[in-house]
């Protein structure tokens, strides 16, 4: 009977231990402790810095030499032009280009990227996204983004303790999958995906270098000044990024002596891991369960054969193995088995079994102690006790640790707010200001605590501001700010207040005014003289004497008007907000054909429409699409011979796409030039009897198609002529 009861208690302890350990593994309840152990060992797995990697850092000396950050795009273009001579294997340019920086500078930077052909750029992720999306992805602006070899993400996966240990090689966002910037750099440099990608491993745990400065590093300013030999750069994977104090993100990583590191150094560690094939693998959940449960099961088996002294020695041995085996596997094989669940299982098994043995000796005392432990509420003493640490003392120590962590977190929040260069206010739900950084104090005054944010903004901007309705923009003196307000939530997800961020957009608004003035000049001041020339020619044709000179002057004036119109419309198309309406694409095509009827009829050219009698609905801008079709038909008429035919066919397919095909009987163009047709000031062809075209008409066509998320292709026709094929998503 006693033996049977002992066996029953042993089985119960086995089941309880298995349930507890399995619960710890499944809930990852010991993750923070495992991270401490992992962080102390991961440096032994770190591969030596690869000679392939070269960091070009935008450091403090570069900022001092070149100027205040952010730099003009021309500086980055010069850097790529300087690197072109060295022909590096790949260039990962970890700088965001999500906003226009001037068309000339942007075009120069794009040209430098295209010449190199090995530049990869980062995409900006914003979380949460708009309209309920978890993430918004903002790629580099055109033409910078389109000229890059690839665009990748640089997002990290920080753990609950804020330490970055892993990354995702691919991340879905905004309907597409973004590869990591370093995966792209690896593929460009070596011509194939990394081994981790080939083995279907998306989450990569990085064995970080234990010290900073291990990778070959040169200053951005030194490269730009030509002080670095091209041989030093040739064939390397160049990582360009910000490391200057106060600029860019900094991350806490394992085994890092000297504090957080820059995002560029994180990317270098990831690329170094991919090159060395030494990433760290965490086995699947069943393997983790087995590894955590095995020590406890071995100890329970030992209890049947060993006495108390030997059982205690076996417990210590298994605890030591539970620490040593994960360390050896991590250092030699790159396999991480979190040791804490198994150690907790061992620490639970021994007291549980000893408690059951003591229970058999003195059941009555055990029952009283159990009842006392269940009923008594431990109260922390007012002063620390000098006795050995007990459960109450342990709880107090953990509480002190939690309070210390909260103080550290508060200091972190305060430092983070102060590091923001723009004014930042934190308010409660009653609109009272709780925190404000130094730029906010400099803008509104030093005494901000307790004041109403809405009243403060209203007084500063002399405009109506309410706590429930903050304006999108705010003018304070001669400065303009974009006002952004986001929720401040507690750990339970409940809103506790607001974060009011004033982004200084003074320079942006000044640039917009200058652009509008330039467009107004082109639209009005350049058109007026040309219109006057045409009017004078029409009224005084007889006074010119030469009958051919008047039409030629008028044609040149009209051509100037057309160039100005195309330039203005193309510029406005770049900055105007997309405002689509549901429309029938056949009606728009018919209207454009009617606009070209007079020009075509003067040369006896027919414009034939097919399929416009069937409704083809889509979401689009009527004026933009009409001008797009007019430009294509104008080119078709211009380059067709007299008495020719321009054919337009509109069809739809089962997938909901609308296709428009425009054919002409002109001389056509070489196939290799079709790719340049839709670039600004790109390929220019010559119509019979005309001067070269400026290329703005087809540039407008390409921009209009991209604006509507459509597709366009140009192919030559046999025996002569050109075919344009346009595709747009239809509306059911």
């Amino acid at each position: 009977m006693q033996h049977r009861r002992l066996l029953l208690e042993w089985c119960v302890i086995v089941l309880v231990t298995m349930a507890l350990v399995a619960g710890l593994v499944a809930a990852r309840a010991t993750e923070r402790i495992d991270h401490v152990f992992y962080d102390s060992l991961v440096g032994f797995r770190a591969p030596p810095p690869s000679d392939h990697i070269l960091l070009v850092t935008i450091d403090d000396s570069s900022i001092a030499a070149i100027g205040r950050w952010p730099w003009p795009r021309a500086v980055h273009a010069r850097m790529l032009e300087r690197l072109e001579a060295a022909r590096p294997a790949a260039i990962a340019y970890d700088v965001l280009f999500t906003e226009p920086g001037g068309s000339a500078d942007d075009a120069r930077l794009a040209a430098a990227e295209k010449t190199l052909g090995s530049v990869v750029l980062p995409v900006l992720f914003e979380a949460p996204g708009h309209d309920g999306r978890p993430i918004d992805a903002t790629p580099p602006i055109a033409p910078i983004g389109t000229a890059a070899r690839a665009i990748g993400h640089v997002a990290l996966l920080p753990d609950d303790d804020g330490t970055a240990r892993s990354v995702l090689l691919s991340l879905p966002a905004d309907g597409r999958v973004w590869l990591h910037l370093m995966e792209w750099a690896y593929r460009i440099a070596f011509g194939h995906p990394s081994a981790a990608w080939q083995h279907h491993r998306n989450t990569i745990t990085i064995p970080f270098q234990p010290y900073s400065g291990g990778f070959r590093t040169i200053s951005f300013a030194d490269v730009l000044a030509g002080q670095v030999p091209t041989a030093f750069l040739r064939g390397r994977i160049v990582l360009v990024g910000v490391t200057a104090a106060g600029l860019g993100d900094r991350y806490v990583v394992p085994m890092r002596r000297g504090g957080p590191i820059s995002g560029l150094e994180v990317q270098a560690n990831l690329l170094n891991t991919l090159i060395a094939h030494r990433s760290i693998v965490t086995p699947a959940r069943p393997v983790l369960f087995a590894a955590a449960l095995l020590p406890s099961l071995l100890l329970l088996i030992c209890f049947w054969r060993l006495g108390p002294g030997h059982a205690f020695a076996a417990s210590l041995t298994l605890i030591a193995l539970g620490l040593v085996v994960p360390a050896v596997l991590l250092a030699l094989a790159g396999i991480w088995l979190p040791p804490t669940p198994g150690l907790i299982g061992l620490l639970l098994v021994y007291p549980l079994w000893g408690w059951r043995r003591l229970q058999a000796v003195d059941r009555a005392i055990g029952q009283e102690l159990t009842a006392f432990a269940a009923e008594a509420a431990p109260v922390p003493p007012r002063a620390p006790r000098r006795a050995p640490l007990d459960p109450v003392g342990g709880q107090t120590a953990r509480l002190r640790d939690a309070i210390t962590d909260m103080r550290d977190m508060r200091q972190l929040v305060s430092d983070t707010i102060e590091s923001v260069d723009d004014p930042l206010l934190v308010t409660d739900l009653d609109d009272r200001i709780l925190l404000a950084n130094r730029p906010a104090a400099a803008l509104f005054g030093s005494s901000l605590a307790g004041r109403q944010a809405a009243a403060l903004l209203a007084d500063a901007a002399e405009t109506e501001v309410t706590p429930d309705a903050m304006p999108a923009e705010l003018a304070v003196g001669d400065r303009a700010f974009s006002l952004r307000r986001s929720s401040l939530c507690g750990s339970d997800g409940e809103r506790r207040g607001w974060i009011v961020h004033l982004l200084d957009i003074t320079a942006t608004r000044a640039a917009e005014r200058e652009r509008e003035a330039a467009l107004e000049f082109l639209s009005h001041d350049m058109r007026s003289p040309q219109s006057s020339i045409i009017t004078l020619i029409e009224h005084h044709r007889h006074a010119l004497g030469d009958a051919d000179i008047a039409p030629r002057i008028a044609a040149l004036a009209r051509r100037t008007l057309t160039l100005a119109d195309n330039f203005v419309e193309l510029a406005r198309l770049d900055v105007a907000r997309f405002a689509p309406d549901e429309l029938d694409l056949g009606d728009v095509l018919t209207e454009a054909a009617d606009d070209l009827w007079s020009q075509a009829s003067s040369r006896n050219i027919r414009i034939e429409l097919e399929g416009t009698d069937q409704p083809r609905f889509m979401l689009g801008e009527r004026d933009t699409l009409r001008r797009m079709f007019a430009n294509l038909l104008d080119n078709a008429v211009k380059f067709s011979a007299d008495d020719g035919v321009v054919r337009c066919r509109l069809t739809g397919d089962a997938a909901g796409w609308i296709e428009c095909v425009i054919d002409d009987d002109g001389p056509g163009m070489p196939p290799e030039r079709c790719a340049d047709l839709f670039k600004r000031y790109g390929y220019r062809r010559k119509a019979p009897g005309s001067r070269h075209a400026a290329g703005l008409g087809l540039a407008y066509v390409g921009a209009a198609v991209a604006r509507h998320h459509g597709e366009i292709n140009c192919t030559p026709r046999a025996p002569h002529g050109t075919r344009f094929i346009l595709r747009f998503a239809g509306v059911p």
Side-chain angles (χ1 to χ4, degrees):
M1 182 65 181
Q2 185 178 1
H3 182 76
R4 184 179 301 174
R5 183 169 183 174
L6 179 63
L7 180 60
L8 178 61
E9 290 183 355
W10 187 90
C11 293
V12 170
I13 293 176
V14 169
L15 294 176
V16 170
T17 305
M18 291 178 63
L20 289 174
V21 173
L24 291 174
V25 173
R28 300 191 302 180
T30 62
E31 192 172 58
R32 285 183 177 271
I33 303 175
D34 289 323
H35 283 164
V36 173
F37 190 67
Y38 169 89
D39 292 349
S40 64
L41 297 172
V42 67
F44 298 105
R45 179 63 181 173
S50 173
D51 289 337
H52 289 89
I53 301 174
L54 177 64
L55 306 187
V56 177
T57 58
I58 303 174
D59 52 12
D60 293 328
S61 62
S62 299
I63 299 294
I66 299 174
R68 184 178 179 181
W69 182 265
W71 295 332
R73 301 286 163 78
V75 174
H76 301 289
R78 286 165 48 205
M79 168 57 70
L80 293 183
E81 292 165 357
R82 179 72 67 181
L83 293 175
E84 179 185 354
R87 307 308 299 174
I91 301 173
Y93 215 100
D94 192 10
V95 177
L96 293 172
F97 299 111
T98 57
E99 296 181 357
S103 58
D105 288 351
D106 290 347
R108 180 180 178 184
L109 179 57
E113 293 177 62
K114 193 167 185 180
T115 300
L116 278 165
S118 59
V119 179
V120 291
L121 298 177
V123 60
L124 171 64
F125 283 163
E126 295 177 297
H130 295 86
D131 299 329
R133 293 191 298 269
I135 299 176
D136 276 346
T138 305
I141 62 169
I144 296 175
T146 55
R149 176 73 174 274
I151 299 175
H153 79 87
V154 291
L156 290 177
L157 294 176
D159 293 314
D160 294 339
D161 59 356
T163 302
R165 298 177 178 88
S166 303
V167 299
L168 293 175
L169 289 186
S170 66
L171 182 61
D174 274 1
R176 63 172 289 184
V177 176
W178 303 88
L179 291 184
H180 197 280
L181 196 72
M182 294 302 101
E183 174 67 20
W184 277 122
Y186 183 96
R187 294 186 181 193
I188 293 172
F190 299 101
H192 57 81
S194 66
W197 181 269
Q198 295 177 28
H199 289 88
H200 307 287
R201 288 167 51 198
N202 191 36
T203 301
I204 297 298
T205 302
I206 306 171
F208 284 91
Q209 297 293 316
Y211 298 96
S212 297
F215 297 96
R216 294 178 181 267
T217 303
I218 53 178
S219 175
F220 188 103
D222 292 342
V223 179
L224 199 63
Q227 299 176 5
V228 180
T230 56
F232 187 74
L233 301 169
R234 184 171 293 113
R236 300 186 188 276
I237 304 175
V238 178
L239 309 185
V240 183
V242 178
T243 61
L247 299 180
D249 296 329
R250 303 192 74 81
Y251 303 94
V252 177
V253 298
M255 280 199 74
R256 179 55 55 182
R257 294 170 175 82
I261 65 173
S262 64
L264 184 67
E265 208 168 346
V266 173
Q267 311 308 330
N269 276 274
L270 172 57
L271 182 58
N272 193 46
T273 301
L274 295 178
I275 293 175
H277 311 307
R278 295 190 70 175
S279 61
I280 297 171
V281 178
T282 300
R285 193 65 57 85
V287 178
L288 295 180
F289 287 162
L293 292 171
L294 182 61
S296 299
L297 293 177
L298 290 176
L299 183 58
L300 284 168
I301 293 173
C302 291
F303 286 150
W304 284 104
R305 300 294 180 184
L306 302 177
H310 292 90
F312 180 75
S315 300
L316 295 179
T317 302
L318 288 173
I319 290 174
L321 290 175
L323 293 171
V324 172
V325 171
V328 172
L329 288 177
L330 179 64
L332 300 182
I335 299 174
W336 172 237
L337 294 176
T340 310
L343 294 176
I344 291 177
L346 290 173
L347 296 176
L348 286 173
V349 164
Y350 193 89
L352 282 175
W353 181 257
W355 170 68
R356 291 312 303 163
R357 294 299 85 220
L358 289 175
Q359 183 75 3
V361 175
D362 195 353
R363 184 178 303 273
I365 296 176
Q367 290 175 349
E368 292 296 329
L369 290 175
T370 301
F372 177 81
E375 296 173 3
V379 179
R382 292 183 179 274
R385 297 183 179 180
R386 303 179 63 86
L389 193 65
D390 58 0
V392 176
Q395 190 75 359
T396 304
R398 287 192 292 271
L399 179 59
R400 289 199 190 99
D401 292 341
I403 293 175
T404 301
D405 292 342
M406 291 298 297
R407 287 173 178 164
D408 292 342
M409 183 61 68
R410 185 174 182 178
Q411 184 64 40
L412 175 63
V413 172
S414 178
D415 293 343
T416 302
I417 292 176
E418 289 297 339
S419 68
V420 178
D421 294 333
D422 296 312
L424 194 69
L425 305 172
V426 178
T427 72
D428 59 14
L429 291 177
D430 295 328
D431 198 39
R432 290 190 300 269
I433 296 176
L434 304 177
L435 293 174
N437 62 357
R438 281 191 292 269
L443 183 66
F444 300 115
S446 58
S447 179
L448 296 179
R451 298 180 61 181
Q452 296 287 323
L456 177 73
L457 298 175
D459 292 342
E462 298 182 356
T463 185
E464 182 179 357
V465 180
T466 64
D468 296 329
M470 294 287 185
E473 291 189 12
L474 201 68
V476 180
D478 58 350
R479 300 173 67 185
F481 294 90
S482 174
L483 194 64
R484 302 176 181 176
R485 188 173 72 162
S486 56
S487 298
L488 177 64
C489 298
S491 59
D492 56 357
E494 182 181 356
R495 181 183 296 164
R496 304 290 179 84
W498 301 95
I499 300 174
V500 182
H501 184 196
L502 286 80
L503 181 64
D504 194 339
I505 57 172
T506 305
T508 302
R509 290 293 174 261
E512 290 178 353
R513 289 192 296 271
E514 292 179 2
R515 181 178 63 247
E516 290 298 326
L519 294 178
E520 182 66 22
F521 171 77
L522 288 173
S523 179
H524 182 268
D525 294 354
M526 287 189 65
R527 287 176 56 90
S528 296
Q530 304 303 320
S531 300
S532 299
I533 292 173
I534 296 173
T535 302
L536 288 173
I537 292 297
E538 295 296 335
H539 287 81
H540 301 282
R541 186 185 299 267
H542 61 279
L544 295 177
D546 190 345
D548 294 333
I549 197 68
R552 294 176 61 188
I553 295 175
L556 291 173
R558 291 189 181 92
R559 180 169 176 265
T560 304
L561 284 175
T562 301
L563 288 174
D565 286 343
N566 284 336
F567 182 83
V568 170
E569 291 299 327
L570 185 57
R572 285 176 174 167
L573 194 64
D574 288 339
V575 298
R577 183 177 63 87
F578 185 56
D581 293 315
E582 187 170 328
L583 52 83
D584 186 352
L585 194 61
D587 290 345
V588 179
L589 179 60
T590 302
E591 292 173 5
D594 291 342
D595 292 340
L596 271 294
W597 180 85
S598 177
Q599 178 181 339
S601 298
S602 65
R603 296 174 52 201
N604 199 26
I605 295 175
R606 301 193 316 276
I607 300 178
E608 296 182 353
L609 302 180
E610 179 184 342
T612 56
D613 54 340
Q614 296 292 329
R616 308 289 183 189
F617 290 102
M618 65 171 288
L619 291 176
E621 297 173 329
R622 178 175 290 272
D623 291 340
T624 302
L625 293 172
R626 179 175 175 176
R627 187 177 186 90
M628 175 196 71
F629 281 129
N631 286 353
L632 289 174
L633 293 176
D634 178 71
N635 280 348
V637 171
K638 184 187 302 181
F639 293 103
S640 293
D642 293 348
D643 302 320
V645 178
V646 176
R647 298 174 178 85
C648 305
R649 184 174 71 257
L650 202 62
T651 59
D653 60 19
W657 285 85
I658 303 173
E659 182 174 279
C660 179
V661 180
I662 299 177
D663 295 333
D664 66 57
D665 295 327
M669 64 184 69
E672 64 272 10
R673 304 310 300 269
C674 290
D676 298 331
L677 285 179
F678 306 107
K679 296 181 180 178
R680 300 187 186 191
Y681 319 107
Y683 175 62
R684 309 174 183 184
R685 60 173 177 164
K686 186 176 180 183
S690 69
R691 295 181 179 271
H692 283 286
L696 291 178
L698 288 178
Y700 183 90
V701 170
V705 171
R707 186 178 180 85
H708 288 80
H709 306 289
E711 302 172 0
I712 185 168
N713 290 298
C714 174
T715 58
R717 298 178 61 234
H720 55 80
T722 304
R723 168 173 291 177
F724 288 91
I725 303 174
L726 299 89
R727 284 170 52 84
F728 299 98
V731 175

